[in-house]
Amino acid sequence: MNVWLIPSSLSTTPTALSTPHHHLHLPIIPTKLSLHNTLLATTLSFGFFLSPFPSSASVLQPTPLPIPLSTSSETCRDVELRNITVPTAPEVVTNEGLVQEAWQIVDDDFLDTGRNRWSQDTWQLKKNDILSNTIQTRSKAHNIIKRMLASLGDPYTRFLSPEEFSKMARYDMTGIGINLREVTDENGDHRLKVLGLILDGPAHSAGVRQGDEILAVNDTEVKGKSAFEVSSLLQGPNGTSVTIQLKHGNCGPVESIEVQRQFVARTPVFYRMEQTESDAAQIGYIRLKELNALVRKDLVIAMKRLQDMGASYFVLDLRDNLGGLVQAGIEIAKLFLNEGDTVIYTAGRDPQFQQAVVSDTSPLIRAPLVVLVNDKTASASEIVASALHDNCRAVLVGKRTYGKGLIQSVFELQDGSGVVITVGKYVTPKHKDINGNGIEPDFQKLPAWDDVSQHLSKCSMLQQG
C-alpha cells in the first residue's frame, strides 16, 4: 500500500472532483511520511496550475536506470537506490482482501471531524457485517468500499477507481517532468533526489534519471533548500530552458543538463501602488489569486518593488483565493512573521499529524499589513490569514473565511485503486479550529491606517501579557 499526504483545499469537495483535481497528481510515496517532511517534499495542490503532458508521456513512474559499465559503478548505484523506494506492480489481491485493506486504513488513520461520533468499535462491527459474505466481483468490492466510506459522513473521504488514481500520478510541480524528494544521508545532511520521472518528459529526454541528486539550478546551489523551493526555481515560462547540475548515482559523475520547460507557469501575484485620499501614504496592494509553487518568489519580488516605490503600508488580498499548496501558504506567512512565531498547528490521531509549524526566518517587511478575506478564502489561504492575524502582524478585513482546514492522505490499494481519507486538521496559532468555523475578520470595511496600527499595537501588548 502506498500513501500520499495531501493538504486539503476547497477544491476537494465532491462537486469539484468530477474532474480529478485536488492537490494530487502526486509522486507515489510508499511509506507514511510525517506532515513536515511530506509538505517539504511534495506539497501539492491538485489541478490548480498545471497542465498535464500528453497521456502517452504522462505516466509518472520510475525509469529504468542505465546499465552500469563496471562493478564499482553498479555498487554505487545500488547504494544510491536504497534511499529511493520504487513503487512495485500491484499485487494479486482477493476482493475480500481489498475491502479489508480499505477498512484497515480507516481504522488506523481516519479522523472524524464531524458529528457522527465515529468509533473503532462500530467500525469493527461494520467489517464483520461486510465480510460475512463472499464478494464475487471486483466491481462489487469497489462499490462496497464506496458505501463503507460514505457511511463515515465525511465529504472528503472517498474511493478512487484505478483510472482516477492513475491520473493522480501525473503530477509535475516543476514543469520539466520530475518530482523531488528530500533524503537524509548517513551524516544527517539533506539532499534532493529525483523521486519520479515522466517518461519521455523534458527532464527524462535530457538525461535526468531516477535517483539523481540535484546540486544546482541555473548556477544556484540548492543545498539547504526544500523540494518546494527548488521546484519553484525549476519553473518558468513555456519554451524557456533551465540548467540543472546533478550527480548521477552515489559516486557521480556530476553533469550539467539543459532542460526545456513544457508548461506555462502563470504568476498568481498581481500588485500596484495606491495612495490614500486622506493623506499622502503610499499603499502597496498585492493580490494572490492562488498559492502555487511560484507564489513565494513572485511575492518577494512584488514586495521589494513596492518598497522601492515608497510603500509604507501593505494590503494583501486573499479574497476568492481557494488555497493551493499548503507549503506555499506556510512560506507566505513566514515572510511576515518573526522567527519563532507559530504558523499553524496540525492535529490528528497519528502522532505524525500532531505538529507545530514555526517560522525560522525574520520578516521581509515590518510595515502595518491589512489582509482582505471573504467567504471564498479557503484552506491554505486561511493558514496565511490566521497566522498573520494570531501573531498580531495583520488586521483582517472583509467577511468570515470559508472554514476548510482538513488534511487528507491518499492511499493506494493493491489493485491500483485508492482511497482518500481525512487524517488531520489545522488549528490556528491561538488554537482555534479552522474547519467548519472559518476566521472572523477584525473589520468589515477597510479602517483608517491609524486604526490599523493601533489595533496591531494593542494585540501585541495583550499577547505579551
Side-chain angles (χ1 to χ4, degrees):
M1 175 184 71
N2 294 321
V3 55
W4 303 333
L5 178 69
I6 60 176
S8 176
S9 83
L10 184 58
S11 59
T12 56
T13 56
T15 301
L17 277 163
S18 57
T19 57
H21 180 223
H22 195 236
H23 327 261
L24 223 42
H25 312 121
L26 286 188
I28 298 175
I29 303 172
T31 56
K32 289 187 180 180
L33 302 179
S34 70
L35 173 68
H36 177 69
N37 291 337
T38 305
L39 291 180
L40 290 178
T42 55
T43 330
L44 305 169
S45 174
F46 310 109
F48 269 114
F49 65 99
L50 296 175
S51 300
F53 287 88
S55 57
S56 61
S58 59
V59 179
L60 187 64
Q61 61 186 31
T63 305
L65 296 167
I67 298 174
L69 299 177
S70 67
T71 304
S72 60
S73 63
E74 181 176 19
T75 303
C76 184
R77 178 67 75 175
D78 287 344
V79 171
E80 188 70 10
L81 284 176
R82 292 190 189 121
N83 290 324
I84 302 293
T85 306
V86 180
T88 57
E91 301 175 5
V92 177
V93 59
T94 65
N95 295 324
E96 292 79 10
L98 191 70
V99 172
Q100 182 158 342
E101 184 182 13
W103 178 93
Q104 190 65 54
I105 292 168
V106 174
D107 192 61
D108 289 342
D109 293 301
F110 175 68
L111 179 68
D112 183 13
T113 59
R115 301 178 180 177
N116 300 295
R117 296 183 179 179
W118 177 87
S119 71
Q120 288 181 296
D121 290 339
T122 56
W123 193 241
Q124 178 67 48
L125 294 174
K126 181 173 286 291
K127 184 184 78 167
N128 296 341
D129 180 56
I130 289 173
L131 297 179
S132 60
N133 298 311
T134 301
I135 303 172
Q136 298 293 339
T137 65
R138 187 52 51 92
S139 176
K140 187 174 181 180
H142 288 173
N143 286 332
I144 289 173
I145 295 173
K146 289 179 183 178
R147 293 196 300 270
M148 183 172 68
L149 297 181
S151 72
L152 296 171
D154 177 11
Y156 307 105
T157 292
R158 61 198 183 276
F159 173 78
L160 300 172
S161 68
E163 293 76 19
E164 291 171 324
F165 189 89
S166 175
K167 290 178 181 179
M168 290 184 175
R170 300 175 188 174
Y171 185 80
D172 166 32
M173 67 179 293
T174 65
I176 61 171
I178 64 174
N179 289 118
L180 301 178
R181 177 181 177 186
E182 294 173 25
V183 175
T184 303
D185 63 20
E186 58 186 11
N187 297 320
D189 296 325
H190 294 286
R191 296 185 291 170
L192 284 177
K193 303 284 185 170
V194 176
L195 171 66
L197 282 163
I198 293 178
L199 297 180
D200 299 322
H204 178 245
S205 298
V208 179
R209 292 296 178 261
Q210 180 173 345
D212 287 352
E213 179 183 355
I214 306 297
L215 302 177
V217 176
N218 287 335
D219 297 325
T220 299
E221 291 189 12
V222 302
K223 184 177 181 180
K225 296 183 182 295
S226 69
F228 173 83
E229 292 174 293
V230 176
S231 294
S232 299
L233 294 176
L234 291 169
Q235 286 192 348
N238 187 44
T240 61
S241 296
V242 59
T243 301
I244 307 171
Q245 186 184 62
L246 49 81
K247 181 168 66 175
H248 297 295
N250 199 38
C251 309
V254 174
E255 181 181 7
S256 289
I257 295 178
E258 184 175 337
V259 183
Q260 188 174 46
R261 302 178 176 105
Q262 288 188 7
F263 85 101
V264 179
R266 296 182 177 89
T267 180
V269 180
F270 301 87
Y271 63 97
R272 63 178 181 265
M273 185 70 81
E274 295 187 353
Q275 187 170 335
T276 59
E277 297 179 1
S278 57
D279 53 45
Q282 297 290 315
I283 311 299
Y285 170 87
I286 305 172
R287 183 189 178 198
L288 304 184
K289 293 184 65 177
E290 59 183 336
L291 302 180
N292 63 23
L294 290 179
V295 67
R296 184 190 184 280
K297 178 174 63 178
D298 291 352
L299 177 57
V300 169
I301 293 172
M303 289 196 298
K304 287 183 176 178
R305 287 179 178 174
L306 290 170
Q307 279 184 308
D308 291 342
M309 294 166 65
S312 52
Y313 303 97
F314 286 87
V315 172
L316 185 64
D317 192 347
L318 297 179
R319 291 174 297 180
D320 300 327
N321 187 320
L322 301 181
L325 308 184
V326 166
Q327 186 62 26
I330 290 171
E331 295 299 328
I332 292 304
K334 287 181 178 180
L335 292 176
F336 301 93
L337 298 180
N338 293 311
E339 185 174 358
D341 286 347
T342 299
V343 179
I344 199 73
Y345 294 104
T346 63
R349 289 172 57 200
D350 192 311
Q352 69 172 319
F353 301 118
Q354 299 169 14
Q355 304 265 339
V357 181
V358 177
S359 178
D360 53 3
T361 58
S362 298
L364 186 62
I365 63 169
R366 297 185 182 274
L369 178 68
V370 165
V371 176
L372 304 181
V373 296
N374 64 5
D375 55 359
K376 292 183 181 178
T377 302
S379 189
S381 296
E382 291 177 287
I383 291 177
V384 177
S386 65
L388 301 187
H389 177 266
D390 287 8
N391 286 289
C392 304
R393 282 294 293 117
V395 166
L396 302 187
V397 177
K399 300 179 181 178
R400 180 190 290 268
T401 63
Y402 182 82
K404 180 66 169 62
L406 298 180
I407 306 167
Q408 279 84 38
S409 284
V410 180
F411 298 81
E412 182 179 15
L413 303 179
Q414 291 185 56
D415 72 337
S417 61
V419 292
V420 181
I421 305 295
T422 294
V423 296
K425 63 181 180 180
Y426 297 110
V427 181
T428 73
K430 289 188 175 180
H431 301 282
K432 294 182 179 179
D433 190 349
I434 294 176
N435 194 63
N437 300 310
I439 306 164
E440 189 69 33
D442 301 297
F443 301 92
Q444 292 184 348
K445 296 182 179 180
L446 190 65
W449 283 102
D450 285 345
D451 294 336
V452 171
S453 298
Q454 290 176 14
H455 185 96
L456 295 176
S457 177
K458 182 179 179 181
C459 176
S460 296
M461 287 189 293
L462 291 173
Q463 192 174 57
Q464 293 171 5

